[in-house]
Amino acid sequence: MALNNPNPLGPWKITVYDQENFQGKRLEFTSACQNIMEGGVDNIRSLKVECGAWAGYEHSSFCGQQFVLERGEYPHWESWSGSNAYHIERMMSFRPICSAVSLCSNPLNHKESKMVLFEKENFMGRQWEINDDYPSLQAMGWGNNEIGSMQVQSGAWVCYQFPGYRGYQYILECDHHGGEYKHYREWGSHAQSFQVQSLRRIQQ
Amino acid sequence: MALNNPNPLGPWKITVYDQENFQGKRLEFTSACQNIMEGGVDNIRSLKVECGAWAGYEHSSFCGQQFVLERGEYPHWESWSGSNAYHIERMMSFRPICSAVSLCSNPLNHKESKMVLFEKENFMGRQWEINDDYPSLQAMGWGNNEIGSMQVQSGAWVCYQFPGYRGYQYILECDHHGGEYKHYREWGSHAQSFQVQSLRRIQQ
């Protein structure tokens, strides 16, 4: 089979709908949207990512729960929310994840993903440098179900509360906060604990 | 940090509780459980995987919705269910995934994971051999949001309805059905369509 990616490096493109199953009012975006209500719709209820990797947010101005959105079709809220402790079915803003590693095979565009996990907050305690996906950190030898702090050296990553890429999503990028996330309060306004049990690179 | 896995190859171990947050009656298992009611509890409401990778099922006798369970802590139903189209909060049976690839670095124990995706059912149409994780099949060049059939040549895999490892989970193993899954009806009794947008290896 020909595995030619028609849009290896963008431009980013996302199409959102104000009803489930790609119905209702339809809006196309190729860059960040800070408040979907400015497009004349009250909420996003389905979407298609046509190019690039995106971060979606529960509230306007990129606040609240975070959702990593990779290329494909999302017919309803549950299809992008994953499993979350609270089910407020809202997505009001979104933006491209510019530091996500390209899947393009052009070596000039290739960047490695690399980050360091720390046992304690403020980059203290034992540390572990990673550059791959981990569906279970504990299976790989990490001692418990928490990470104290993280330093993203390259690429973009998504961490999850539960094993197997489930629960709250925290998007971490080398070009935000200087790649430094020294306490769970910096992972996102919805983060309520240090609990992280799986994580993976974001590719596009 | 020392990344020594204390139980690189098992034995499998899972601890289940009949209340959320690891409360209530507690049962330990090192092999398959066909019906949790035989242990004197009406349902599983939290669990810890202490060793190995497991498949959990909505109904007794390994039927209904499937949930891949890797090492870590799952305090409530949403933590293992992922996002699903119907929320019946039940897990009644579970079993080890014996063909999951070992994370152990002993080369004698190392098996590659390999499977072939087919565009159409019955192993027809265009095909694509894979041996890695794919959070978005479309980003990697797969033409649409469906897979017609799959042949698992080695290891165990989990496929998902939506991108980013979300939605219904379908566990596919080289040592079940001879590794052949020629129609979505063979992916599991809960499968309702050919829709698969992400997939990954199961490691333990």
Side-chain angles (χ1 to χ4, degrees):
Chain A
M1 173 177 177
L3 281 177
N4 51 325
N5 188 329
N7 294 303
L9 269 183
W12 286 280
K13 187 172 170 197
I14 189 170
T15 306
V16 303
Y17 302 81
D18 75 344
Q19 300 300 324
E20 292 191 349
N21 294 309
F22 320 114
Q23 303 292 312
K25 189 165 177 183
R26 173 182 181 278
L27 297 169
E28 282 185 15
F29 293 84
T30 55
S31 61
C33 169
Q34 194 170 336
N35 186 351
I36 193 65
M37 294 181 80
E38 289 169 8
V41 306
D42 68 328
N43 195 359
I44 296 169
R45 295 190 180 84
S46 55
L47 64 92
K48 295 181 186 182
V49 174
E50 284 159 86
C51 203
W54 296 72
Y57 294 87
E58 180 186 359
H59 299 302
S60 59
S61 300
F62 320 115
C63 293
Q65 283 193 67
Q66 302 168 3
F67 313 110
V68 62
L69 304 169
E70 289 145 309
R71 192 168 156 178
E73 299 184 4
Y74 303 79
H76 47 69
W77 187 81
E78 288 84 3
S79 62
W80 65 74
S81 65
S83 58
N84 291 294
Y86 65 101
H87 288 264
I88 299 173
E89 301 198 5
R90 292 176 75 81
M91 190 165 84
M92 302 303 286
S93 57
F94 49 86
R95 62 174 178 81
I97 302 176
C98 297
S99 59
V101 169
S102 171
L103 289 167
C104 177
S105 58
N106 181 343
L108 293 176
N109 295 319
H110 183 73
K111 295 181 295 181
E112 290 288 336
S113 296
K114 198 157 68 174
M115 73 182 288
V116 185
L117 312 182
F118 295 85
E119 188 187 9
K120 308 282 188 193
E121 58 193 77
N122 290 315
F123 315 119
M124 305 287 282
R126 290 188 294 180
Q127 54 182 276
W128 183 21
E129 187 177 303
I130 62 172
N131 58 8
D132 204 351
D133 299 353
Y134 291 95
S136 164
L137 282 165
Q138 286 186 68
M140 290 301 293
W142 189 253
N144 60 28
N145 63 5
E146 294 184 339
I147 292 177
S149 46
M150 294 178 265
Q151 192 170 38
V152 181
Q153 297 178 331
S154 57
W157 296 76
V158 53
C159 306
Y160 297 85
Q161 192 182 6
F162 301 122
Y165 311 123
R166 289 180 274 224
Y168 280 135
Q169 303 164 44
Y170 310 114
I171 297 166
L172 311 179
E173 295 152 278
C174 66
D175 55 2
H176 278 60
H177 307 276
E180 300 200 335
Y181 297 85
K182 64 178 188 291
H183 189 283
Y184 74 76
R185 286 187 298 266
E186 298 180 352
W187 305 350
S189 55
H190 64 312
Q192 293 162 351
S193 80
F194 288 106
Q195 190 174 35
V196 170
Q197 299 192 74
S198 53
L199 57 83
R200 64 182 180 89
R201 299 159 295 161
I202 303 174
Q203 297 169 290
Q204 62 187 354
Chain B
M1 174 179 175
L3 281 176
N4 51 326
N5 189 329
N7 294 302
L9 271 184
W12 287 279
K13 187 174 169 197
I14 189 169
T15 305
V16 303
Y17 303 80
D18 74 345
Q19 300 300 324
E20 292 191 348
N21 294 310
F22 320 113
Q23 303 292 313
K25 190 165 176 184
R26 172 182 181 278
L27 297 169
E28 282 186 14
F29 293 84
T30 56
S31 60
C33 169
Q34 195 170 337
N35 187 351
I36 194 65
M37 294 181 79
E38 289 169 7
V41 306
D42 68 328
N43 195 359
I44 296 169
R45 295 190 180 85
S46 56
L47 65 91
K48 294 181 186 181
V49 174
E50 284 159 85
C51 203
W54 296 72
Y57 294 87
E58 180 185 359
H59 300 302
S60 59
S61 300
F62 320 116
C63 293
Q65 283 194 65
Q66 302 168 5
F67 313 109
V68 62
L69 304 169
E70 290 146 309
R71 192 169 156 178
E73 301 184 4
Y74 303 79
H76 48 69
W77 188 81
E78 287 85 3
S79 62
W80 64 75
S81 64
S83 58
N84 291 293
Y86 65 101
H87 288 264
I88 299 173
E89 301 197 6
R90 291 176 75 81
M91 190 165 84
M92 302 303 286
S93 57
F94 49 86
R95 63 174 178 80
I97 301 175
C98 298
S99 58
V101 169
S102 171
L103 289 167
C104 178
S105 58
N106 181 342
L108 294 175
N109 295 319
H110 183 73
K111 295 181 295 181
E112 290 288 337
S113 296
K114 197 158 70 174
M115 73 181 289
V116 186
L117 312 182
F118 295 86
E119 188 187 9
K120 308 280 187 193
E121 58 193 78
N122 289 314
F123 315 119
M124 304 287 282
R126 290 189 293 180
Q127 54 182 276
W128 183 20
E129 186 177 303
I130 62 171
N131 58 8
D132 205 351
D133 300 351
Y134 292 95
S136 165
L137 282 164
Q138 287 187 67
M140 290 302 293
W142 188 252
N144 60 28
N145 63 5
E146 295 185 338
I147 293 177
S149 47
M150 292 179 266
Q151 191 170 39
V152 180
Q153 297 178 333
S154 57
W157 296 76
V158 53
C159 305
Y160 297 84
Q161 191 181 6
F162 301 122
Y165 311 123
R166 289 181 274 223
Y168 280 136
Q169 304 165 43
Y170 310 114
I171 296 166
L172 311 179
E173 295 152 278
C174 64
D175 55 3
H176 278 60
H177 307 276
E180 301 199 334
Y181 298 85
K182 64 178 188 291
H183 190 281
Y184 75 76
R185 286 187 297 265
E186 299 180 352
W187 305 351
S189 56
H190 63 312
Q192 294 162 351
S193 79
F194 288 106
Q195 190 173 37
V196 170
Q197 298 192 72
S198 53
L199 58 83
R200 64 183 180 89
R201 299 158 297 162
I202 302 174
Q203 297 169 290
Q204 63 187 354

